[in-house]
């Protein structure tokens, strides 16, 4: 008999829903995951999109954030036991090709990366930024993982304050400073800007958004510390490992079931209605959905304070994005031979071109010189392509969320742009 009740009901089976369900089940809770799509995974999928034998990660691909975070610390071992294998870069990790063809590269070894900068002082500043971050990582990680307005947040801020003037203040400054401002004020040459301004796109930022000065050293530390992990056999294998782990823990997964509302009694979430059927939650309902959906549709009107509801109504969505998957009979013939062994290459002129492209996208325009993210995952995991072949995962992150805006040329044709000769 199917029992429509569990300790926790998790709405959505993207990575956040899967992690929550697995951690709760490992702690002994009974869990039901409810997913409206016919398959689990949200923005994780691997498909033979082009030709037989080519496995393309349709959406997300690089698991740097997952592998470097607390969920992997808790679930890495059990997922390995259920078939998850990561492959990552040991030498060159990432690169950027500027408009004039100059290439800047990130190596797993920070010293080797810094040694390639034209100005020795830039290398020193880069290594100092990484060292400063490492020395404060406990408190910084705590701040990033704490709820806003929580005692935990204050505790971590206090830990930095106790280190005196150099404790908290530099981090507050970094949070208020853009990536462009940081690279201009800290480095003489442009390698750090070329390398890391496009990485800000992966944090949902642009080179002119506040907090880039904080994010650039953080992203750099992640690349040096973890490389760029991808799942052997494609990200779909990540879902296979989760499915197997969750099955072994007795987690029930209902796919094709759309949660229409969350049931609230006496101020507590006590279940959901999914495709017309009630599911009771004895201890918690977890919803990994957008704020608009959670506060605007799923929760009944009086369930949260008017202030929280108003804050959720003001939530703004970021830029859109687009991906193109290419099957190749042989690896790309980059003019700079070093790029033939780099898993992720940005075609960007740093803050210059990426900043303008972001501004255009945010104004509702198609950028004239978009940043192109070129993923060569097959270098880390050759099982994704036929022997001797190659594939590209091309990502464009400066896509307007909505068309139109400030200019009379909404989504107009691209201007001719300088050739990149990388
Ligand atoms: C094209 C693309 C590329 C990306 N590349 C990377 C990358 O390389 N590395 C990286 O770290 N991040 C990447 N990201 C970001 C990453 O995919 C997201 O951060 C991640 O998917 C968020 O996971 P989530 O579980 O919160 O949400 P989602 O993955 O969006 O999952 C939410 C799930 O909830 C379900 N759902 C929603 N509402 C309901 C409802 N009412 N009832 C039932 N089910 C519901 C949805 O169907 C979906 O399956 C990429 C994103 C995109 C779009």
């Amino acid at each position: 008999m199917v029992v429509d009740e569990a300790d926790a009901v998790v709405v959505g089976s993207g990575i956040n829903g899967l992690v929550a369900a697995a951690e709760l089940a490992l702690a002994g809770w009974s869990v039901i995951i409810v997913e409206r799509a016919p398959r689990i995974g949200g923005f994780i999928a691997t498909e033979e999109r082009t030709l037989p034998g080519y496995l393309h990660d349709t959406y997300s691909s690089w698991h740097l954030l997952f592998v470097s975070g607390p969920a992997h610390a808790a679930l890495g071992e059990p997922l390995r036991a259920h078939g998850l294998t990561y492959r990552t870069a040991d030498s060159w990790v990432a690169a950027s090709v500027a408009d004039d063809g100059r290439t800047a590269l990130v190596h797993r070894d920070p010293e080797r990366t810094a040694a390639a900068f034209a100005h020795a002082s830039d290398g020193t500043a880069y290594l100092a930024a990484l060292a400063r971050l490492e020395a404060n990582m406990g408190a910084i990680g705590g701040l990033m993982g704490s709820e806003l307005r929580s005692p935990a947040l204050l505790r971590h801020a206090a830990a930095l304050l106790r280190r005196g003037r150099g404790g908290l203040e530099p981090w507050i400054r970094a949070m208020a400073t853009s990536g462009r401002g940081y690279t201009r004020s800290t480095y003489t040459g442009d390698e750090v800007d070329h390398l890391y301004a496009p990485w800000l796109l992966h944090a949902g930022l642009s080179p002119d958004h506040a907090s880039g000065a904080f994010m650039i050293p953080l992203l750099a530390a992640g690349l040096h510390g973890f490389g760029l992990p991808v799942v052997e056999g494609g990200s779909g294998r990540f879902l296979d490992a989760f499915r197997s782990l969750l099955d072994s823990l007795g987690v029930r997964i209902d796919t094709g079931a759309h949660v229409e509302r969350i049931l609230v009694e006496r101020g507590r979430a006590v279940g959901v209605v999914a495709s017309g059927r009630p599911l009771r939650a004895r201890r918690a309902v977890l919803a990994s959905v957008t704020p608009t959906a959670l506060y605007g549709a799923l929760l009944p009107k009086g369930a949260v304070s008017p202030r929280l509801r108003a804050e959720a109504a003001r939530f703004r969505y970021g830029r859109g994005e687009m991906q193109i998957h290419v099957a190749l009979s042989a690896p790309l013939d980059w003019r700079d031979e070093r790029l033939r062994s780099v898993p992720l290459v940005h075609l960007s002129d740093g803050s210059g071109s990426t900043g303008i492209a972001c501004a255009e996208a945010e104004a509702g325009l198609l950028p004239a010189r978009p940043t192109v993210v070129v993923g060569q995952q097959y270098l880390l995991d050759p099982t994704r392509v036929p022997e001797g072949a190659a594939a590209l995962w091309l990502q464009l992150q400066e896509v307007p969320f909505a068309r139109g805006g400030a200019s009379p040329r909404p989504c107009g044709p691209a201007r001719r742009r300088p050739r990149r000769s990388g």
Side-chain angles (χ1 to χ4, degrees):
M1 188 186 74
V2 177
V3 181
D4 282 340
E5 184 173 289
D7 290 327
V9 171
V10 175
V11 184
S13 68
I15 189 167
N16 286 311
L18 293 173
V19 164
E23 291 205 24
L24 289 175
L26 280 168
W29 290 37
S30 60
V31 182
I32 301 174
I33 298 178
V34 193
E35 168 57 57
R36 68 181 169 197
R39 58 159 196 93
I40 62 165
F43 283 120
I44 302 173
T46 300
E47 296 167 90
E48 272 191 345
R49 279 256 159 166
T50 52
L51 293 171
Y54 288 84
L55 297 171
H56 302 281
D57 281 349
T58 322
Y59 309 105
S60 61
S61 192
W62 315 94
H63 284 208
L64 171 59
L65 292 180
F66 178 67
V67 169
S68 59
H72 185 259
L75 299 175
E77 206 45 59
L79 286 171
R80 247 190 310 281
H82 286 266
L84 177 65
T85 305
Y86 277 113
R87 295 195 174 194
T88 194
D90 294 325
S91 54
W92 299 111
V93 185
S96 278
V97 182
D99 280 356
D100 60 7
R102 276 181 309 140
T103 303
L105 291 105
V106 183
H107 194 276
R108 273 299 290 272
D109 179 358
E111 307 261 354
R112 201 157 158 191
T113 305
F117 297 161
H119 299 267
S121 58
D122 286 353
T124 307
Y126 182 79
L127 295 174
L130 290 172
R132 204 165 34 246
L133 185 69
E134 197 184 338
N136 292 286
M137 204 53 218
I140 298 286
L143 279 174
M144 291 176 70
S146 301
E147 288 284 340
L148 212 61
R149 304 179 192 127
S150 70
L153 187 106
L154 291 177
R155 213 173 36 249
H156 293 299
L160 286 175
L161 261 178
R162 277 197 294 275
R163 295 182 190 181
R165 192 161 175 270
L168 190 58
E169 193 183 303
W171 302 108
I172 294 175
R173 278 180 193 278
M175 289 306 289
T177 305
S178 69
R180 188 197 297 270
Y182 166 69
T183 58
R184 281 203 178 160
S185 62
T186 312
Y187 302 98
T188 309
D190 53 14
E191 293 96 341
V192 175
D193 186 72
H194 281 168
L195 276 173
Y196 290 108
W199 272 98
L200 293 170
L201 299 177
H202 301 280
L205 301 172
S206 92
D208 294 303
H209 282 160
S211 78
F214 169 71
M215 288 308 297
I216 285 179
L218 194 67
L219 288 161
L223 293 178
H224 293 305
F226 297 91
L228 269 175
V230 297
V231 179
E232 185 179 279
S235 291
R237 292 277 180 85
F238 181 80
L239 302 179
D240 296 342
F242 256 106
R243 170 72 84 163
S244 168
L245 171 64
L246 294 170
D247 283 350
S248 75
L249 295 168
V251 173
R252 184 176 127 195
I253 303 177
D254 291 1
T255 49
H258 183 190
V259 171
E260 289 135 11
R261 56 201 166 87
I262 295 174
L263 301 169
V264 177
E265 286 172 9
R266 288 190 289 279
R268 287 193 64 233
V270 295
V272 303
V273 176
S275 296
R277 241 177 62 205
L279 295 171
R280 302 291 295 183
R282 283 186 290 268
R283 300 170 75 176
V285 174
L286 291 88
S288 180
V289 299
T290 64
T292 318
L294 180 61
Y295 297 104
L298 296 183
L299 283 169
K301 270 218 159 52
V304 296
S305 69
R307 178 177 149 188
L308 184 52
R309 222 181 162 76
E311 279 180 6
R314 281 199 299 273
F315 182 81
R316 287 172 299 135
Y317 288 89
R319 300 178 299 268
E321 73 174 69
M322 170 181 170
Q323 281 188 191
I324 302 167
H325 300 281
V326 184
L328 298 172
S329 56
L332 204 62
D333 195 12
W334 293 93
R335 279 186 213 160
D336 185 331
E337 284 186 16
R338 295 173 300 172
L339 298 175
R340 295 176 194 169
S341 61
V342 181
L344 194 148
V345 181
H346 286 116
L347 307 185
S348 160
D349 217 30
S351 294
S353 68
T354 297
I356 292 169
C358 285
E360 284 175 305
E362 281 160 24
L365 308 171
L366 281 185
R369 291 163 62 200
T371 306
V372 184
V373 188
V374 184
Q376 308 189 106
Q377 289 87 337
Y378 72 93
L379 292 171
L380 301 174
D381 176 18
T383 70
R384 295 173 179 220
V385 292
E387 207 179 326
L392 300 180
W393 175 96
L394 302 177
Q395 190 179 56
L396 298 148
Q397 291 210 25
E398 295 132 343
V399 177
F401 184 75
R403 286 170 62 117
S407 160
R409 192 176 58 85
C411 299
R415 290 190 301 274
R416 271 180 73 84
R417 65 176 168 157
R419 249 177 92 87
R420 287 186 177 112
S421 53

